[in-house]
Amino acid sequence: MDRSILGWLLIGLVAGVLGKIIMPGKDPGGFIVTILIGIAGALLAGFIAQSMGVSLNGGWQNYAAATGGAVILLALYRLVVSRRVR
């Protein structure tokens, strides 16, 4: 496995927790799903940054991008699941 992907997975775990803190409330999938969304958000943020040519060199930049990706995906997840339940 590529070291950068493993790093983004670990950052994604932290981003999932931070995303849950930033967006409190009851999620349909629970805490584990929120962490998985954080991992997906981190990978998405890393992919988008690389495709745009943006270098995320600092630790805080990685966490900020991953947390932003996690919050966006968590908001989209809540939106989709809330519409599906109705």
Side-chain angles (χ1 to χ4, degrees), residues 4 8 45-56:
S4 64
W8 278 104
F47 175 74
I48 290 172
Q50 284 182 343
S51 67
M52 293 175 55
V54 176
S55 177
L56 300 174

Side-chain angles (χ1 to χ4, degrees), residues 1-15 39 42-43 62-63 66:
M1 181 184 289
D2 188 28
R3 293 178 89 182
S4 64
I5 292 174
L6 181 61
W8 278 104
L9 289 173
L10 294 174
I11 290 171
L13 288 171
V14 175
I39 292 171
L43 292 173
N62 292 336
Y63 284 104

Side-chain angles (χ1 to χ4, degrees), residues 74-86:
L74 183 58
L76 289 172
Y77 174 72
R78 286 181 180 178
L79 183 68
V80 168
V81 171
S82 68
R83 286 187 180 182
R84 188 181 300 170
V85 171
R86 291 181 184 178

Side-chain angles (χ1 to χ4, degrees), residues 9-68:
L9 289 173
L10 294 174
I11 290 171
L13 288 171
V14 175
V17 172
L18 290 174
K20 183 67 175 169
I21 291 171
I22 292 170
M23 295 184 66
K26 185 170 171 116
D27 292 318
F31 191 72
I32 299 298
V33 172
T34 303
I35 290 175
L36 292 174
I37 289 173
I39 292 171
L43 292 173
L44 180 65
F47 175 74
I48 290 172
Q50 284 182 343
S51 67
M52 293 175 55
V54 176
S55 177
L56 300 174
N57 294 327
W60 69 271
Q61 292 173 334
N62 292 336
Y63 284 104
T67 302

